[in-house]
Amino acid sequence: MLINRLCIITMCTVIFSGAISAASIKVTTIGKGVKDDSAVIQKALDRCAATGGGTVSLGAGKYRLDKPINIPAGVTLSGVWEAPHHVNFNSGTLIYAYAGKNKENDPPLIKLNASSTLKGVSIYYPEQTIPAIPFPWTIQGEGVHCNVLDVTLSNPYKAIDFGTYPNELHHARNVFGCPLKVGVYIDQCTDIGRIENVHFNPNFWTRIDNDGAKIDGGKLVDYTRENCVAFDIGRTDWEYVFNTFSFGCKYGFRFFNSKSGSCNGNFLGNGVDWSSVAIRVEQTQPPGLLFTNGQFVGGEGSESMIDVMETNTGVLQLTNCSFWGPSQRVARIEGKGSVNMSQCNINWLKVPKGAALIEANGGDITVQASRFSQDVPQIKLGEGVQSAVIMGNTMFGPVRIENNSKGDVQILANVTRADKNKK
């Protein structure tokens, strides 16, 4: 049954308008982001849940949150944006985030529950600076099917939390922003999370239209390269991560072993640009991490684009990936796990004297059908390497593979191009 109401609440400077039903409640701000709208938005969310779930729609305007809000199970909080964008303060649905300043461990700005969704909004922290001010998580999920869709997170301290609580089948799609400490955190997921088209770039803070106010992009990137992990991933089974990008982070991807375990997953079309370390592997599950069609650029001062740590016993596979930039190495490999690089394109790097593009000191390694376009030492195998196959690679310069392994190593059919100076 539909109930027609018009209720003006001057204290919160917000209007409920239109039909209220299990399907739709509309909230329109008239406070222009100056007064706190959290109470009236929460009231609408709770009312929507009480009628069986549905959508609370935020019209175009500026909404201020001085307190956290909780989106109940089965409820969607939706703004008017249908795609991410650089924040425009004069159009769309914009949330000004004030809750939890200097209280990193406080409740999140927006809490998702089972089968709840946040979509079509921009979120901006007016008080954020560089160096960063700690805030709690912007969005945190708990339960099955938590969804973040078509959202811009301009300058969150910590953006999306799918790890503090169990959260199977989480879904983040079309999310852009500039996180300062963590972009997406995943843990305690035992079934098929999905991260699609999630891009982190300083531009989503530096290019916002904020009446001429500008953040210093150079200082911002210096800070994020020291402090930010774009994708921080612990236990998750069958994680699907497609078409992601991060620029200027300390780690593009970090895979760690939590109390719940580690990750296996499918990573397709991922880009990590100007990182300190593009992929850091502390541990994986035996089914492994499957990176395909990736592009990785190590920034100035990067020692290695891929670091496989001595704690790793799992599997990392990279197929049809490309590497370049002023990093000193493509990979440093430790531990007892397996690393396979196939059909990769290794372009120019800033390799120091005595180093090689790929340095392995543990586990087993396979490098095959790859292209080494720089006339520097290609591969160095340390004593701790248990086995290796280096096969069918093309070098622009002499084949320079140093083998100090005491294990079973097969080096065969690697060639030097006759036109080695033409790249």
Side-chain angles (χ1 to χ4, degrees):
M1 180 177 70
L2 299 181
I3 304 173
N4 293 319
R5 296 191 177 187
L6 178 64
C7 177
I8 300 177
I9 304 178
T10 56
M11 181 180 297
C12 295
T13 66
V14 175
I15 297 176
F16 284 163
S17 65
I20 298 178
S21 70
S24 179
I25 298 176
K26 186 175 181 180
V27 178
T28 304
T29 181
I30 59 174
K32 298 182 179 181
V34 177
K35 297 183 179 180
D36 182 23
D37 296 326
S38 57
V40 72
I41 293 173
Q42 189 63 59
K43 182 177 180 180
L45 292 167
D46 292 342
R47 187 180 186 94
C48 188
T51 59
T55 299
V56 173
S57 298
L58 300 180
K62 301 174 182 179
Y63 300 79
R64 175 168 174 153
L65 296 183
D66 289 344
K67 298 178 182 179
I69 60 173
N70 187 308
I71 303 178
V75 174
T76 293
L77 180 63
S78 178
V80 301
W81 288 111
E82 296 186 1
H85 49 277
H86 293 110
V87 169
N88 187 325
F89 289 81
N90 298 309
S91 63
T93 302
L94 176 63
I95 293 175
Y96 284 111
Y98 288 91
K101 183 179 180 181
N102 287 314
K103 297 178 180 179
E104 181 179 353
N105 297 318
D106 268 15
L109 181 75
I110 299 173
K111 180 68 178 288
L112 297 173
N113 295 277
S115 300
S116 66
T117 301
L118 176 70
K119 64 179 297 187
V121 301
S122 299
I123 300 177
Y124 172 66
Y125 286 78
E127 297 178 313
Q128 189 54 271
T129 63
I130 296 296
I133 296 171
F135 280 86
W137 287 103
T138 300
I139 303 165
Q140 182 182 81
E142 181 177 2
V144 178
H145 285 299
C146 296
N147 305 285
V148 183
L149 311 175
D150 304 328
V151 169
T152 294
L153 304 170
S154 179
N155 57 347
Y157 186 65
K158 300 186 298 186
I160 298 175
D161 173 14
F162 287 145
T164 298
Y165 298 98
N167 56 96
E168 292 183 340
L169 295 163
H170 55 252
H171 190 197
R173 186 184 70 220
N174 295 349
V175 178
F176 289 5
C178 177
L180 303 175
K181 184 176 180 180
V182 183
V184 177
Y185 166 52
I186 301 170
D187 195 16
Q188 301 192 72
C189 177
T190 55
D191 197 20
I192 312 176
R194 294 147 296 160
I195 307 295
E196 306 175 60
N197 198 30
V198 174
H199 289 218
F200 295 133
N201 193 312
N203 291 340
F204 289 96
W205 192 3
T206 61
R207 293 183 182 178
I208 60 177
D209 177 13
N210 188 15
D211 298 324
K214 295 292 183 181
I215 189 76
D216 187 316
K219 290 182 179 179
L220 175 57
V221 173
D222 288 344
Y223 183 87
T224 57
R225 286 197 70 204
E226 289 288 330
N227 296 282
C228 183
V229 181
F231 299 92
D232 203 17
I233 302 175
R235 168 68 184 277
T236 180
D237 301 345
W238 292 74
E239 189 75 24
Y240 283 83
V241 181
F242 299 151
N243 186 30
T244 67
F245 179 84
S246 66
F247 181 95
C249 292
K250 181 177 182 179
Y251 303 134
F253 290 90
R254 183 177 81 109
F255 299 95
F256 65 95
N257 195 44
S258 74
K259 293 180 180 179
S260 298
S262 56
C263 172
N264 81 76
N266 185 349
F267 298 78
L268 175 63
N270 305 111
V272 180
D273 193 1
W274 212 250
S275 61
S276 295
V277 178
I279 302 173
R280 177 183 169 95
V281 180
E282 299 171 12
Q283 182 61 290
T284 81
Q285 295 181 26
L289 311 174
L290 312 178
F291 276 87
T292 307
N293 297 356
Q295 292 186 301
F296 305 102
V297 177
E300 190 71 46
S302 166
E303 295 183 3
S304 178
M305 282 184 264
I306 299 174
D307 272 341
V308 179
M309 311 306 292
E310 62 182 1
T311 53
N312 181 57
T313 60
V315 177
L316 171 64
Q317 296 186 190
L318 300 111
T319 302
N320 200 41
C321 293
S322 187
F323 302 88
W324 73 97
S327 178
Q328 296 177 8
R329 299 166 185 82
V330 171
R332 295 183 295 197
I333 301 165
E334 304 278 354
K336 298 180 179 179
S338 298
V339 176
N340 186 317
M341 299 180 66
S342 178
Q343 296 179 291
C344 289
N345 182 12
I346 297 170
N347 292 276
W348 64 273
L349 281 82
K350 206 170 185 177
V351 182
K353 185 177 180 180
L357 291 163
I358 299 171
E359 298 179 357
N361 294 296
D364 63 83
I365 178 173
T366 300
V367 182
Q368 61 183 344
S370 293
R371 179 183 188 271
F372 292 78
S373 69
Q374 192 172 3
D375 187 1
V376 296
Q378 295 97 14
I379 301 171
K380 183 185 292 187
L381 304 177
E383 291 184 2
V385 172
Q386 296 171 339
S387 65
V389 176
I390 314 298
M391 180 178 70
N393 301 289
T394 298
M395 317 300 192
F396 283 73
V399 176
R400 292 194 241 174
I401 300 172
E402 181 181 332
N403 178 21
N404 299 302
S405 169
K406 298 179 180 180
D408 186 3
V409 175
Q410 303 292 323
I411 302 174
L412 66 159
N414 300 289
V415 300
T416 298
R417 279 184 57 157
D419 60 339
K420 62 184 179 181
N421 293 321
K422 295 181 181 179
K423 300 178 182 180

